[in-house]
Amino acid sequence: MGDYRAFCASLVVFLLFLGNGVNCEDPYRFITWKITYGDIYPLGVKQQGILINGQFPGPQIDAVTNENLIISVYNYLREPFLISWNGIQQRRNSWQDGVYGTSCPIPPGKNFTYALQVKDQIGSFFYFPSLGFHKAAGAFGGIRIWSRPRIPVPFPPPAGDFTVLAGDWYKRNHYQLRRILDGGHNLPFPDGLLINGRGWNGYTFTVDPGKTYRFRISNVGLTTSINFRIQGHKMKLVEVEGSHTLQNTYSDLDIHLGQSYSVLVTADQPAKDYYIVVSSRFTKPVLATTAVLHYSNSWQRVSGPIPGGPTTQIDWSLNQARSFRWNLTASGPRPNPQGSYHYGLIKTSRTITLANSGPIINRKQRYAVNGVSYIPADTPLKIADYFNIPGVFSLGSMPSSPSWGNNAYLQTAVMSANFREFIEIVFQNWEDTVQSWHIDGHSFFVVGMDGGQWTPASRARYNLRDTVARCTTQVYPKSWTAIYMALDNVGMWNIRSENWARQYLGQQFYLRVYSPAHSWRDELPIPKNALLCGRARGRHTRPL
């Protein structure tokens, strides 16, 4: 026991050095990543990719609820680099979020150690590079957060657990794509789709007949919604971005940019190989690619046409999205049922309306929220806020409702909010494309979505009982989506388009969730090892 206490004491000192408080009862995992350039051939053409430990896609992260992840990242690229964690809430710890609004980039030849905890979370997520359009070159990978052993899961343990990282891809490298965007143009149409970094029939999932497997599917693409299906097999939806769902069965699933789903698939068909298909949604032409579901006793390869799926039908996708429901009797990361959180009975403190647009500013294509097109500051906002550095951003620079007309402008946009508010956000989309929105640091309830203009009367159609809690939601063309969200996480949080060209050209902003208490109970202090750049260069973080 004495050795254990001594070990715990040394561990606490070490993790406090990294700036992340830890309960010694919570296990920890050490991970080391080396970020390098390397040759990849995802569409049969040699490209310069960004690899993690020589891998494309990057290594899988596995963790159990509440575990501490100590991830040392060594940047061997020729430019600064950042990793972010799509869906990991970073409780009390936006310092570790890995976007430029919260963190200084890792300089070339340097390293940074993230110390993050997967606090009170389960489910399927992914990580990605958040800076400089690096996402177009790789450096993304899957994250699986498993339930603690004593917490019941609402389905039997599957025979295997597969990660599927799917999305669109370009043959141009990220430098070329970035130059297109910096020149004031939108990206061209993608060159193809990938499944786990490979093209047609390039990846195989092997299953035993009669057994059931879990597939965790994430859309890690840049610009395109996708549809996922497995030839001859049904999929039982069991989890959406950390929430157990009612186990409805689907023949195919729409997965919009940045979204993650878990399905159970039973190998109950005759022994042969089957197509796993990913195709683009709402595009002309329709892109498609395949992987292979291989029965372990099969001698018959896939052949013939791939199974068809939906293409441009919006109503089909909308109706499917409305069918996703929370499993009110299942436990989440804690033993209490998910449905014990009665979100529909809480009065909202305010309504925020966010309208996307694609204005031309200074003769260049930009994208905006409420008429504001985001531009990065010279110093990360969270660090400037901590050191009270003036002139980096101003609170209230992000309006909470749309401004109508052609008066879009460039601004480092930050919206202020108070800790423990319960708010309603309405995403209003008047464009002809599907939008996908993500909010860092939080999970929210998608209470409604429909066509046309949102009005207060739209609340009569809200689902106030069992909608799914998640971190990414779509908004259909000329439609709206409404969410309820508890601001239960102090910090500086990115709200962004998951269309990476739109995000890069300004369709994002930051939400500053503020607590006047300045207590470690509400927010952890700046990490001792925090990188300092911009106007914070030369300052000091804090003593131990």
Side-chain angles (χ1 to χ4, degrees), residues 355-375 397 399 402-411 505-507:
N356 49 274
S357 61
I360 302 296
I361 302 177
N362 299 332
R363 299 182 180 180
K364 291 186 176 183
Q365 176 68 66
R366 297 287 301 184
Y367 294 99
V369 188
N370 291 355
V372 182
S373 186
Y374 184 86
I375 52 173
S397 52
S403 57
W404 304 110
N406 298 316
N407 57 344
Y409 57 93
L410 304 174
Q411 178 74 48
L505 292 179
Q507 192 174 317

Side-chain angles (χ1 to χ4, degrees), residues 161-180:
D161 194 295
F162 299 121
T163 292
V164 182
L165 302 172
D168 55 18
W169 191 258
Y170 289 86
K171 293 179 180 178
R172 294 176 174 89
N173 63 37
H174 69 282
Y175 299 112
Q176 295 168 314
L177 296 175
R178 197 163 64 197
R179 280 196 293 271
I180 291 172

Side-chain angles (χ1 to χ4, degrees), residues 64-275:
V64 176
T65 301
N66 290 354
E67 283 189 339
N68 298 280
L69 300 175
I70 312 302
I71 305 174
S72 296
V73 179
Y74 290 80
N75 178 17
Y76 292 102
L77 307 182
R78 296 183 296 272
E79 54 188 316
F81 185 77
L82 271 177
I83 285 275
S84 189
W85 325 90
N86 210 74
I88 304 303
Q89 293 179 12
Q90 311 289 359
R91 307 298 300 177
R92 304 185 298 138
N93 201 11
S94 65
W95 304 106
Q96 306 292 339
D97 202 28
V99 290
Y100 181 63
T102 61
S103 309
C104 290
I106 306 170
K110 303 296 183 180
N111 76 291
F112 176 76
T113 299
Y114 292 90
L116 53 97
Q117 186 181 28
V118 289
K119 178 69 173 171
D120 290 337
Q121 287 192 264
I122 58 156
S124 310
F125 310 97
F126 64 91
Y127 61 84
F128 68 95
S130 63
L131 202 66
F133 224 69
H134 290 153
K135 191 179 180 186
F140 50 75
I143 301 174
R144 298 184 293 201
I145 307 179
W146 305 83
S147 295
R148 289 171 287 177
R150 295 182 181 179
I151 306 300
V153 175
F155 49 87
D161 194 295
F162 299 121
T163 292
V164 182
L165 302 172
D168 55 18
W169 191 258
Y170 289 86
K171 293 179 180 178
R172 294 176 174 89
N173 63 37
H174 69 282
Y175 299 112
Q176 295 168 314
L177 296 175
R178 197 163 64 197
R179 280 196 293 271
I180 291 172
L181 295 172
D182 290 340
H185 308 286
N186 196 2
L187 293 182
F189 194 70
D191 293 305
L193 301 176
L194 302 181
I195 298 175
N196 288 353
R198 301 180 186 180
W200 283 86
N201 294 344
Y203 198 93
T204 298
F205 300 88
T206 300
V207 297
D208 292 329
K211 294 184 178 180
T212 298
Y213 295 82
R214 183 174 184 171
F215 285 78
R216 302 175 189 250
I217 315 147
S218 295
N219 184 342
V220 297
L222 298 174
T223 66
T224 312
S225 297
I226 59 173
N227 182 267
F228 179 89
R229 52 199 181 272
I230 302 178
Q231 182 183 25
H233 293 73
K234 298 293 185 181
M235 299 179 290
K236 184 182 291 184
L237 184 67
V238 294
E239 178 250 333
V240 173
E241 294 166 16
S243 292
H244 291 306
T245 63
L246 288 184
Q247 295 177 13
N248 296 328
T249 299
Y250 301 90
S251 58
D252 50 288
L253 279 174
D254 275 358
I255 305 172
H256 302 278
L257 289 163
Q259 294 184 341
S260 299
Y261 292 84
S262 281
V263 298
L264 297 181
V265 177
T266 300
D268 55 3
Q269 298 300 304
K272 64 175 187 174
D273 290 359
Y274 295 86
Y275 286 115

Side-chain angles (χ1 to χ4, degrees), residues 19 22 26 42 64 102 119 162 232 239-240 280 292 313 317 320 331 335 415 426 456 476 481 494 501 520 528 543:
V22 62
D26 296 324
V64 176
T102 61
K119 178 69 173 171
F162 299 121
E239 178 250 333
V240 173
S280 61
V292 176
Q313 305 93 326
S317 186
Q320 183 183 84
S331 296
M415 183 182 294
V426 177
Y476 293 99
T481 294
N494 190 225
W520 284 28
K528 174 67 178 174

